[in-house]
Amino acid sequence: MFKKLTQNIIECLGPKQFLEKILQLGGPRLLLVGDRVFSLEKDVCVVGFGKATMEMFKPLKQLLGDKISKSFLSVPHSCAVDPHVGHDASCKMVRAAKNNLPDDNTLDITGQIVDHVTTLKEGDLCICLISGGGSALLCDPIVPLPDLLDTIRILVSKSATIQQLNTVRTFLCSLKGGGLAAHIAPATVVSLIISDVIGDPLHSIASGPTVPHKVTSEDVLSTLTSIDVSLHALPASVQHLIETKHESNVMLPAEQPFNLIVASNTIAMEVAGKQVEALGFTPYLMSNSLSGEAREVATELAESVVLSTHDRTFSHIGNDMVHKIQHAMTSGLCYKGTSQKSSKRCSFWF
């Protein structure tokens, strides 16, 4: 049952399924995104960066076809290339950010994106496909790239959270914190976002390239203090920016970007719950905000799990169940349920 349930959930959680729910054509010249309507009368450009970019682009391309005049996709090194996308002359795709860190390929595709979007005019439409890993796949540091990488490594060595990392990234990169949207203006910006951050703060997902968000030197110093990093441990160029009270301050476009979260941990768990119900169980959401080392948290949960029936309680579970819980944790799935098809009650984790 667990295997079938897992397969059903995975099949329902693809980017294609989520995008098809919120995108449709309203005739030949209109795009419906949720409850919003956007014109397709003029130039339509697609910019994508993140681990889900390729899978997000395919349903969009299928829907809009030749209405997309140009697209730029920054994808991880491990990304499999769809043959139809790979042979599309209007699509520029670059594999970048090996080991989830910005590299020369990142700078190359980022430069091409900026060069193109700055040519867009009022009435044009730029659709941004944003997902986890986007911070490393769209990057234009205002310090030398090696200095940015050294800073990231220092923060990671101190177990900085994704929010803390992205605060510093936004400070050190001009496209983050709404910087990309500023370059796209005066064209219309529509961002379709798959969140990989607990609580879905828009400015933290891929460092919020279409979400205006100012970060000051004081914000960075506060972050460094909270994880016990000395200012003098950072590269000289980064120290200089902090000491001179630099701040990321993006000029807001006249038309605010439309940012829509199309998938997240919470949405995924809701989908998982429906699959649980389809098998005759009532799901109970335990948490959508667990954080920490997945293996450690899962082990703690496994040790506290109790499987119960009418007349017996099992306080010990085997390694197989522990592994299932760990797998569920790393997949972001954590449910407890009771069977509707049996008179016996069963609480379970999967």
Side-chain angles (χ1 to χ4, degrees):
M1 182 187 71
F2 178 79
K3 183 176 180 180
K4 178 182 178 182
L5 180 60
T6 302
Q7 290 174 338
N8 290 349
I9 291 172
I10 291 174
E11 289 172 2
C12 294
L13 293 182
K16 179 177 185 290
Q17 286 74 11
F18 287 118
L19 263 66
E20 287 179 343
K21 289 180 182 179
I22 56 101
L23 295 177
Q24 59 180 308
L25 290 175
R29 300 180 185 277
L30 294 176
L31 174 65
L32 309 182
V33 183
D35 59 357
R36 297 284 295 273
V37 181
F38 298 93
S39 173
L40 299 173
E41 290 275 358
K42 296 186 178 181
D43 196 12
V44 178
C45 168
V46 176
V47 172
F49 40 93
K51 296 173 183 176
T53 293
M54 185 63 67
E55 295 306 312
M56 295 177 77
F57 178 71
K58 287 191 286 186
L60 184 64
K61 179 66 175 178
Q62 184 176 7
L63 179 68
L64 297 183
D66 293 339
K67 293 182 177 67
I68 300 175
S69 60
K70 194 70 177 176
S71 52
F72 298 85
L73 309 179
S74 181
V75 302
H77 268 276
S78 59
C79 178
V81 180
D82 183 278
H84 298 292
V85 175
H87 292 95
D88 183 351
S90 68
C91 178
K92 175 68 175 181
M93 190 204 73
V94 171
R95 286 192 177 95
K98 192 172 184 179
N99 301 320
N100 202 31
L101 290 170
D103 53 20
D104 289 339
N105 284 354
T106 302
L107 302 187
D108 174 48
I109 186 65
T110 298
Q112 293 185 55
I113 289 171
V114 171
D115 288 345
H116 183 76
V117 300
T118 51
T119 67
L120 298 176
K121 300 176 176 61
E122 187 173 358
D124 292 341
L125 176 63
C126 184
I127 302 172
C128 299
L129 307 176
I130 303 173
S131 57
S135 290
L137 289 162
L138 182 83
C139 184
D140 63 331
I142 58 177
V143 297
L145 180 59
D147 289 357
L148 173 65
L149 297 179
D150 285 345
T151 301
I152 292 173
R153 293 188 184 104
I154 291 170
L155 298 180
V156 170
S157 72
K158 291 292 188 174
S159 301
T161 65
I162 187 64
Q163 291 88 347
Q164 291 167 331
L165 279 169
N166 286 348
T167 293
V168 177
R169 285 169 171 158
T170 300
F171 184 76
L172 298 177
C173 302
S174 66
L175 287 187
K176 305 185 189 306
L180 178 62
H183 280 287
I184 296 171
T188 299
V189 181
V190 173
S191 290
L192 306 177
I193 303 168
I194 294 182
S195 172
D196 65 337
V197 182
I198 291 174
D200 307 328
L202 285 170
H203 68 273
S204 277
I205 305 167
S207 302
T210 59
V211 182
H213 179 69
K214 182 171 73 172
V215 175
T216 67
S217 294
E218 287 72 20
D219 295 326
V220 175
L221 286 171
S222 177
T223 297
L224 297 177
T225 299
S226 67
I227 56 176
D228 195 27
V229 172
S230 166
L231 174 62
H232 301 293
L234 303 180
S237 62
V238 177
Q239 291 183 45
H240 176 72
L241 283 177
I242 297 173
E243 291 171 343
T244 55
K245 305 296 183 182
H246 164 77
E247 63 182 36
S248 65
N249 193 8
V250 174
M251 295 295 293
L252 298 179
E255 181 182 4
Q256 289 293 300
F258 177 60
N259 295 293
L260 179 65
I261 293 179
V262 299
S264 67
N265 190 44
T266 299
I267 294 173
M269 296 186 81
E270 291 172 353
V271 171
K274 292 178 181 178
Q275 292 301 313
V276 172
E277 289 177 335
L279 290 178
F281 293 90
T282 301
Y284 296 94
L285 174 63
M286 303 302 291
S287 175
N288 63 359
S289 58
L290 290 169
S291 63
E293 291 292 335
R295 189 172 288 112
E296 294 176 4
V297 176
T299 300
E300 292 174 5
L301 288 172
E303 291 172 351
S304 65
V305 167
V306 175
L307 301 178
S308 61
T309 64
H310 264 322
D311 52 1
R312 69 181 94 177
T313 297
F314 301 94
S315 58
H316 175 73
I317 57 177
N319 287 335
D320 182 58
M321 180 60 75
V322 172
H323 293 156
K324 288 180 180 179
I325 295 171
Q326 290 175 337
H327 175 73
M329 285 293 302
T330 55
S331 302
L333 306 174
C334 182
Y335 272 89
K336 178 183 178 182
T338 57
S339 173
Q340 296 174 331
K341 293 183 177 180
S342 170
S343 60
K344 293 185 176 181
R345 295 179 59 82
C346 176
S347 299
F348 61 92
W349 293 80
F350 59 86

